[in-house]
Amino acid sequence: MTDRKGELAANLAKVEQRIAAACAAAGRERDEVTLIVVTKTYPASDVRLLSELGVRHVAENRDQDAAPKAAECSDLPLTWHFVGQLQTNKVRSVVGYAGLVQSVDRSKLVTALSREAVRTGREVGCLLQVALDAGESARGERGGVAPGAIAELADLVAGAPGLRLDGLMTVAPLTGEYAGRQQAAFERLMDLSTDLRRTHPAANMVSAGMSADLEQAVAAGATHVRIGTAVLGVRARLG
């Protein structure tokens, strides 16, 4: 085993222990929570090692980094998640490799994703990114739809050819009433998920929690956690 593979294996084991402990504390089964490893800024060689170690879900937030990496790893049994703010001019590229887009937050993006999914004969899973730092009808500082606009956007995704409404995603906000209150933020997301499932029962995916707050996300009921630093290490500063 290479030094890097050993490092990743050890980090994955620690994260696995954290998820398992959080599930036990919340009275949940371990298989109720799926680990997504966020591989942004790390090379395709790391993605390949993660796959060898059993990782099946990886995430990226910048298409210019993700597209060549996904192409290089196209032989691996991976599901790619796109988790960054997505501009419509990047949709064609992203639909080429992403099985799920977790950052759907406006009607124009839904239209573009649907058009490209139909053109390529693919089905793309969509999570609505919820901005808990937004007013009822505004957008969040880091993208996302306000809670009050979820229902309308969900109906749009559910009715769009080539798209599948899978659920909700959030990032713990840095401002507003939930700043520094990750547990409360994730519990609010779960309440919104319950509301959504009344009209869209299959949209039961809840993506929340990162390296620093995965325990709070699991306690709240998240089905997927997005872990980068705790698996891959502290990223070099960009720029």
Side-chain angles (χ1 to χ4, degrees), residues 12-168:
L12 276 170
K14 290 175 186 173
V15 168
E16 172 60 35
Q17 289 171 356
R18 289 176 62 189
I19 295 173
C23 286
R28 303 179 64 191
E29 296 296 326
R30 170 61 189 90
D31 61 8
E32 293 178 34
V33 180
T34 298
L35 170 63
I36 304 170
V37 178
V38 182
T39 54
K40 64 182 185 182
T41 77
Y42 285 93
S45 57
D46 277 354
V47 176
R48 194 162 290 277
L49 291 174
L50 289 167
S51 179
E52 291 174 10
L53 292 166
V55 170
R56 292 295 173 259
H57 295 265
V58 294
E60 292 281 332
N61 72 334
R62 290 162 56 94
D63 175 64
Q64 55 265 49
D65 299 329
K69 203 182 298 186
E72 193 172 334
C73 297
S74 61
D75 59 312
L76 301 177
L78 295 170
T79 297
W80 292 80
H81 299 246
F82 191 84
V83 297
Q85 293 187 50
L86 179 55
Q87 303 304 314
T88 53
N89 65 343
K90 298 291 188 182
V91 163
R92 175 167 289 197
S93 177
V94 169
V95 168
Y97 58 84
L100 289 96
V101 175
Q102 295 202 17
S103 48
V104 175
D105 62 357
R106 59 200 189 281
S107 60
K108 185 178 178 183
L109 181 56
V110 174
T111 301
L113 285 167
S114 175
R115 184 187 306 120
E116 191 58 26
V118 169
R119 189 188 73 82
T120 56
R122 286 172 60 86
E123 182 179 63
V124 178
C126 295
L127 299 187
L128 307 188
Q129 180 179 345
V130 180
L132 294 173
D133 58 349
E136 279 303 298
S137 59
R139 290 184 74 230
E141 197 172 285
R142 293 186 283 182
V145 64
I150 290 172
E152 182 179 356
L153 191 62
D155 288 345
L156 190 64
V157 172
L163 303 186
R164 184 184 67 246
L165 178 64
D166 282 346
L168 302 177

Side-chain angles (χ1 to χ4, degrees), residues 1 4-15 17 53 230-231:
M1 186 179 287
R4 181 56 170 163
K5 188 172 183 180
E7 179 184 358
L8 293 175
N11 290 345
L12 276 170
K14 290 175 186 173
V15 168
Q17 289 171 356
L53 292 166
V231 173

